[in-house]
Amino acid sequence: MSILVIGEHDNTSLRAATLNTVTAATALGAEIDLLIAGSNCQGAADEAATVDGITRVLISDDPSLADGLAENLAPLLQQIAGDYTHVLAPATTFGKNLLPRAAALLDVQQISDISLIEAPDTFVRPIYAGNALETVRSTDSLKLITVRTSAFDPAGQSGAAPIEAVSGGHDAGLSKFVGEELTRSERPELTTADIIVSGGRGMQSSENFQMLEKLADKLGAAVGASRAAVDAGYVPNDYQVGQTGKVVAPTVYIAVGISGAIQHLAGMKDSKVIVAINKDEEAPIFQVADYGWVADLFEAIPQFEAALDSPAS
């Protein structure tokens, strides 16, 4: 059994989701290759070589792969996938864009968003916004899988795997990279943060979200939001946590003014500790919260901050 993990990276360093995907791969077997496909991506390959559990790193360095366009990556994957029984990628925007295209080229069925591996051919994945778990058994000789990264711990980085070059990258001429607009923040990235402070419709305005940002800075936390808050224009789309946003599993998740719609719960209910602040004691969020505070958030947040500022007794 041979396994290929598709590394997500920025040509310089690995994305954290790759480490969680490698952990999932180790449940399948010990022969794991990690593919770094990009342009001038030696830095990412060098980091990939340190990931625990990796047998070797494959690097495909070509200008057409610089921006991670799935239209150019999928043919490369089609070319090399025949040497493997399993191909895994994180269930991020990157993986969700790439693997369906590769599956179509390879004429196999993709298995999406797995959260548990029961056997080399049997996997568990959430359905119905996480309210049910589906067990899937695949008879395909090649299994293409996206991994729900919040369900697996990140792999360590103390290894020293060899790096080998592979060729095959080329421009398919189907798409081109135009540009990107990135949100810059000194706070932790949402999907890797240990603590997340999220706000919902109850925040009432983008100005009020500054309260949460101030609290998050005191806690060293990331800031998230429900879809209702994003749709209302309070915060950018990349703050969204939920079924149609980012799936997170921090150590502590603080939900402020969030009612707890099923779509939001699907993105955060695997958090280790959930704290809910809402003035509606019947809000669904309290059904999954470890700690609930029935209070007006505009009174509760200042009290929370004051407690953090107070010297320990």
Side-chain angles (χ1 to χ4, degrees):
M1 187 182 305
S2 53
I3 303 141
L4 178 66
V5 172
I6 311 301
E8 184 174 351
H9 60 89
D10 61 3
N11 291 313
T12 301
S13 58
L14 291 179
R15 304 289 192 195
T18 301
L19 301 179
N20 304 82
T21 307
V22 169
T23 297
T26 58
L28 292 166
E31 296 293 321
I32 302 172
D33 290 348
L34 178 53
L35 173 65
I36 300 297
S39 180
N40 296 318
C41 55
Q42 187 63 46
D46 290 340
E47 182 179 352
T50 69
V51 177
D52 293 343
I54 295 300
T55 303
R56 61 176 178 166
V57 174
L58 305 179
I59 180 172
S60 182
D61 198 318
D62 188 271
S64 67
L65 304 174
D67 303 303
L69 296 176
E71 291 82 358
N72 294 343
L73 280 170
L76 172 64
L77 190 53
Q78 178 188 23
Q79 174 184 315
I80 65 176
D83 295 331
Y84 299 94
T85 57
H86 299 75
V87 176
L88 283 70
T92 57
T93 301
F94 168 79
K96 291 175 180 179
N97 190 24
L98 171 61
L99 251 60
R101 299 173 188 275
L105 292 174
L106 291 161
D107 195 24
V108 298
Q109 297 186 65
Q110 179 188 315
I111 305 168
S112 301
D113 209 24
I114 68 163
S115 58
L116 181 67
I117 297 172
E118 291 190 347
D121 64 350
T122 309
F123 312 90
V124 177
R125 59 186 297 270
I127 57 174
Y128 302 129
N131 282 283
L133 295 176
E134 177 183 52
T135 300
V136 179
R137 182 171 179 269
S138 172
T139 58
D140 286 334
S141 59
L142 171 62
K143 298 166 182 58
L144 266 63
I145 302 165
T146 58
V147 175
R148 174 167 287 208
T149 55
S150 61
F152 298 90
D153 293 330
Q157 291 182 270
S158 60
I163 300 175
E164 298 181 15
V166 294
S167 59
H170 71 279
D171 189 349
L174 298 174
S175 63
K176 65 178 180 179
F177 179 78
V178 176
E180 61 186 359
E181 295 182 11
L182 302 177
T183 301
R184 303 290 183 182
S185 175
E186 295 182 359
R187 299 188 187 97
E189 205 279 323
L190 194 57
T191 56
T192 60
D194 287 331
I195 304 173
I196 295 175
V197 179
S198 275
R201 195 196 308 271
M203 296 306 299
Q204 299 181 8
S205 71
S206 57
E207 289 75 17
N208 289 335
F209 251 87
Q210 295 175 13
M211 297 171 56
L212 296 192
E213 292 171 349
K214 186 178 178 182
L215 176 62
D217 290 341
K218 289 180 181 292
L219 293 169
V223 177
S226 67
R227 178 171 180 172
V230 171
D231 287 349
Y234 300 163
V235 289
N237 182 264
D238 57 350
Y239 279 45
Q240 185 176 325
V241 173
Q243 184 180 15
T244 55
K246 296 178 180 177
V247 176
V248 299
T251 303
V252 179
Y253 188 88
I254 303 173
V256 182
I258 294 176
S259 63
I262 186 173
Q263 292 85 356
H264 185 75
L265 300 183
M268 45 66 70
K269 67 181 182 180
D270 289 333
S271 304
K272 307 296 186 297
V273 176
I274 299 173
V275 179
I277 301 174
N278 199 300
K279 64 181 180 181
D280 179 8
E281 63 181 16
E282 300 297 326
I285 191 71
F286 289 122
Q287 297 178 16
V288 299
D290 298 285
Y291 300 94
W293 186 358
V294 180
D296 186 321
L297 68 90
F298 297 105
E299 297 176 2
I301 296 303
Q303 293 178 44
F304 199 158
E305 283 191 58
L308 292 173
D309 291 336
S310 299
S313 58

